[in-house]
Each structure stands twice: as structure tokens, then as C-alpha cells.
Amino acid sequence: MSDSHTFQAEPAQILLVEDNPGDVRLTREAFKQGRIENDLHVVSDGNEALSFLSQEGEYADAPRPDLILLDLNLPGKDGEDILEELKNDPALRSIPVIVLTSSSAEEDIARSYELHANAYLTKPVDPDEFIETVRAFEKFWFSVVRLPPEVDRS
């Protein structure tokens, strides 16, 4: 018996903004094990993230992500700056942003939601728990939630 509603015609496009190679590896692993067909794109700092989203330079052919996973502590522009720019851009603000960070500081959580993050997850230290966390929100965001359609940018 197939579970047809979990399969999408197109792979989900996910942008991971993360500068820690270990966390990038764990996130890749979690998505590989998951049920959702996806293309995981990784950038390691805030400026690269904005270039990817604006399709500038080497990212001219970058797809529009269905979901953005954003670390707060990044070199250069930090996660809060990116979140603010994204949510102020009419062409990009409908893309759900999940803050996935090691900070459990209440002010970071409050600030992320003020900047319109769609969810805030604290990275578990244990690698197996980290993978479980990523798989749980993958299932939620791609099986349960209806994602916004792409808005016409013309």
C-alpha cells in the first residue's frame, strides 16, 4: 500500500544556511534517511544566502527554496539580519524560515519570532537526536503543512 500523499512530483528545494560542517553533515544525513524527495542546497554565510535567494552571481540558476533552515550564528551577516531582509522582501517573504540553532536563549527565540520566523528549533547536542529533530520537522513541513505557492515576481 503506498502512502501517496507524502510524495511530491517535484523534489522539495531546501536551503540550509549553516557554517558548521558537522551540522551540515547531520542535516544531510537526516534528509537522506527521510521519506521526502528533496534537494538540499547549503550556503555557509549570510551574504551567500542572500545571493542564493536573489539569484545573483554564481547562484544565477538557484531554485527558489520551499523552505529555509537558518542558523543564527553565522560569519558576516548573522541569521537575524537575513531573516529581517527576507521578511521585508515581498518576493521572498512567503518562504517559510525555520531557525535551527544551538541557542536556547529566550531573547534569541523572541527576536526570531518578532522577525517572523515560522519556527524556532534548538539543535540537540546528541547527533541521533539532531537527526530525529530534522526528520520530525521534515515530515511536518512537507507532509502536513500546505506550503505557499510561488508568487509571480513579474
Side-chain angles (χ1 to χ4, degrees):
M1 190 172 103
S2 79
D3 201 357
S4 60
H5 72 279
T6 58
F7 294 106
Q8 297 171 292
E10 299 280 313
Q13 300 295 331
I14 302 165
L15 176 61
L16 173 63
V17 187
E18 171 63 75
D19 66 323
N20 178 323
D23 290 350
V24 169
R25 200 172 54 248
L26 285 173
T27 307
R28 277 193 198 286
E29 185 63 31
F31 279 121
K32 237 197 325 245
Q33 291 177 15
R35 303 263 315 276
I36 311 300
E37 191 63 36
N38 66 77
D39 290 333
L40 183 64
H41 307 274
V42 181
V43 294
S44 58
D45 67 47
N47 294 325
E48 266 189 87
L50 293 169
S51 295
F52 186 100
L53 292 161
S54 313
Q55 297 176 313
E56 293 169 357
E58 65 178 294
Y59 299 109
D61 297 327
R64 176 188 171 86
D66 294 307
L67 189 70
I68 298 168
L69 294 177
L70 179 64
D71 187 15
L72 288 184
N73 307 312
L74 296 164
K77 267 187 198 296
D78 71 12
E80 286 184 358
D81 293 336
I82 296 168
L83 196 49
E84 195 160 16
E85 288 197 39
L86 269 178
K87 296 303 182 179
N88 285 328
D89 184 330
L92 300 173
R93 74 165 62 120
S94 66
I95 301 172
V97 178
I98 303 193
V99 172
L100 181 62
T101 187
S102 48
S103 170
S104 55
E106 295 210 345
E107 62 269 21
D108 286 343
I109 298 169
R111 180 85 180 122
S112 293
Y113 282 118
E114 275 167 25
L115 294 170
H116 307 291
N118 297 79
Y120 189 104
L121 298 173
T122 303
K123 293 177 192 170
V125 177
D126 177 86
D128 292 333
E129 282 179 38
F130 186 105
I131 287 174
E132 267 314 297
T133 299
V134 172
R135 289 185 64 191
F137 79 71
E138 174 195 45
K139 185 172 183 197
F140 176 74
W141 281 98
F142 293 109
S143 299
V144 180
V145 172
R146 294 284 308 271
L147 292 170
E150 182 172 348
V151 288
D152 186 5
R153 298 191 210 191
S154 53

